[in-house]
Amino acid sequence: MTATLDTAADAPVMEVGKERRRKEDAHLITGRTRWTDNIVLNGMVHLALLRSPYAHAKISSISVAGALDSPGVVGAWTGADFPEQGGLPCAWPITPDMKSPVRLPVAVEAVKFAGEIVAVVAARTKAEAVDALEAIEIDYEPLEVVLDMQAALAEGSTLVHPELGTNQNAVWAFDSAGAGTGGDVVKALADAEADPDQVVVERVFRQQRLIPAFMEPRSTVVDPTSEQITMWSATQIPHVLRVLIALSQGIPEHKLRVIAPDVGGGFGGKLQVTPEEIITLMVARKMNKPVKFTETRSESLLSAHHGRDQIQRLKISARKDGTITGFDVDLLADMGAYLGTVGPGVPILGAFMFNAIYKIPAYRFTCTNVFTNKTLTDAYRGAGRPEATFGVERMMDELAVELGMEPMELRKKNWITHEEFPFTTISGLTYDSGNYEAATAQAMELFDYDGMRAEQLRRRESGDPVQLGIGISTFTEMCGLAPSRLLGSLAYAAGGWESASIRMLPTGGVEVITGATAHGQGHETAWSQIVADQLGVPFENVEVIHGDTQSSPRGMDTYGSRSLVVGGAAIVMASQKVIAKAKIIAAHLMEASEDDIEFASGKFSVKGTDTSMGIGEIAWAAFAAHNLPDGVEANLDSEATFDPENFSYPHGTHLCAMEVDTETGKVEIRSYVCVDDIGVVVNPLIADGQMHGGLAQGIAQALFEEAQYSEDGQLTSGTFVDYLLPSAADLPSFTLGRTVTPATTNPLGAKGVGEAGTIASTPAVVNAVIDAVRHLGVKDVEMPCSPQRVWRAIQDARAGASTAPDAAPVVAGPAEGVLSTGVALGGSE
């Protein structure tokens, strides 16, 4: 559906909606491209970084003299040798009293987590720099560590930052009664407790810590030898990075150019101003030489930021007919040892999504951010919204059990119907469009929901050792991180706008300059399709330029499913400005009134005549400038900035059928169906690819991945042997469906797709696991739902032991010897 586009109704073939293969894949897949680590500059030196083996310690003494005497070494420094180093920035101070410890790129007096940088070596080769690290002499005075959030908040706890006097970073709260969006949740819950016709369900869920395991490790090259310092970085945010480096390190912004070349994935993990970038910059300026740093995979897993890591205490009340009457959310969120660029605000995004697609009359959200001696956390695919969706969708299943209702019927009873849009939620957001009924009906048909329930019953009755569970997730999300005014009200330092410009070349080509920086999303293809339709030019004639603050000077970059709904909308607006400029020239050349000029399929024509000129002819006429109207400039180039008035709200229904072997704990996804409404789809192939990747990451949280620490704060899952990433062999074939209700918040009608699969899939999978074994007495399995944990939960339930969700996870058991393929591959615990 492309009716929201400003294109001609009689266009022969529309690009938007066409399944085009990505034009950028040819050079990306074959490696015929430029990524940061393959940049080689004359005279370039290489860095290696010494990282603390302690999670909490004082630095008693440190000497780099031995490193300076090592072969090939041209420089070595401690933190004290960088008096110019400024603290790394945090752009989201969520409360006025938020505690913000200074994080120096190179530690000086103490270290707060295992992996913190304490010294730097520069050498002619990477190998020589790494070898020289062994010659650095350093003595530590180990200190007590605090790793558990609840322990960190206890009176007398070890303080990560003693100067702050507390491990509490901030408390952020929302109350529907105080905000005027709904009722008093305290009263609603109290009334429910006292009312025999209502129920109250309380649960505690754990969101485990995850690692954004992007394909390309982080890498930075800095060349200070020209008038302007040039930094190449494997980053998602070249524009934001430039601004924040200028602000935090005292470098004039106009003296810094940042380039993100082809970047191999990010998932939020490259949404940072990193210590490594600043160190590379400082060394390059000290030596006046080009400098490169590229992390190893182990360094990436250890010290690149992590994601999730929450304890969720949730309480929901409802009448016995299933009508929800109140919802109370109380979170603890682990910040790690320091604050990331947007880390404090990530769990706050969930405040607006715990109500999900449901009509909840009273709601409260409280989040306490906590410091621990672990790697900092920040945005990871979905950023606050997967955590919220998991919490509410798990609670809907728990409430259904308490009420004795079919879980899908409970959801239907409480969700917003399509006739009610636009709908203002209890959290104050206005959902502009959607049709949860249509998406759910299609998903249930594709899944054979009734047939699956019938089979589940047969297995229950027969006592089959392999039980069938059915998991549901009916979700929505807010994406297109914008608008700027709303972000400002949440104390976010930047805006949510995006910029685009279009250059019409005299020979017929079109250059699109976008501030939305791609790192694998397919922007070059999708943007070309949009412009081809808007301007009526061949797809092949469109070139997309991005990722360089010199050629693309304005932008807010790529994260939060914002590229299409904000960046793509800016391209539409710039295209419309091109047409408006060209229309003036066309009217002049064809000796007609502007009011009589029509534009369709790349041609300007005079109403009621066969007189017409192509947009390419107008571009040449503007370039030649021989016959332009007075006061008209000699080009069609245009730029636009789009700042939406609202988020966009994709939604969908995800259904998972899970087989659980009750004798071994093995879990296997038998069927996974999702039907998503992402608004108008520009390229179905790209959209499906985004869904597949998102599903893989969401399922990975449910079944495979967890960052684990030892008692002394060592990351024990610091390799891919121990941090289990699923491969294609570990995942099922997905059945995808789609409904379309166009967004009203942008000219494309698009809603965003990059995070939908990740947000929706985790609760669907976990709900399916629990549903398969709930009749055995299992109430929860802490993620990841590995065979060991599932087996142990079944044994504990059979023995009548407590299986409270916040109980310590069992990390070994007799089931270890009987693990099999799929999720039962080793290494997750």
Side-chain angles (χ1 to χ4, degrees), residues 780-803:
D780 191 44
V781 178
E782 189 173 283
M783 296 186 293
C785 299
S786 63
Q788 294 99 324
R789 289 184 178 173
V790 173
W791 182 88
R792 176 58 65 189
I794 294 170
Q795 303 313 306
D796 287 347
R798 284 173 171 168
S802 172
T803 56

Side-chain angles (χ1 to χ4, degrees), residues 540-555:
E540 294 76 13
N541 286 10
V542 182
E543 192 73 21
V544 178
I545 299 167
H546 61 87
D548 184 340
T549 61
Q550 184 164 286
S551 59
S552 171
R554 283 173 294 280

Side-chain angles (χ1 to χ4, degrees), residues 128-177:
E128 289 172 325
V130 171
D131 288 345
L133 294 179
E134 298 290 335
I136 296 175
E137 297 180 356
I138 182 168
D139 291 322
Y140 296 95
E141 180 186 335
L143 302 171
E144 287 189 18
V145 301
V146 58
L147 304 174
D148 178 80
M149 285 184 276
Q150 293 167 310
L153 293 175
E155 186 176 352
S157 172
T158 297
L159 297 179
V160 179
H161 301 282
E163 71 276 11
L164 300 181
T166 179
N167 286 323
Q168 180 178 289
N169 160 248
V171 178
W172 192 95
F174 173 88
D175 188 283
S176 60

Side-chain angles (χ1 to χ4, degrees), residues 710-724:
S710 65
E711 290 183 356
D712 60 354
Q714 301 298 314
L715 182 69
T716 58
S717 51
T719 73
F720 284 152
V721 173
D722 306 292
Y723 189 84
L724 184 58

Side-chain angles (χ1 to χ4, degrees), residues 193-204:
E193 293 276 9
D195 186 351
D197 291 324
Q198 292 195 59
V199 299
V200 177
V201 175
E202 186 172 6
R203 295 289 185 270
V204 179

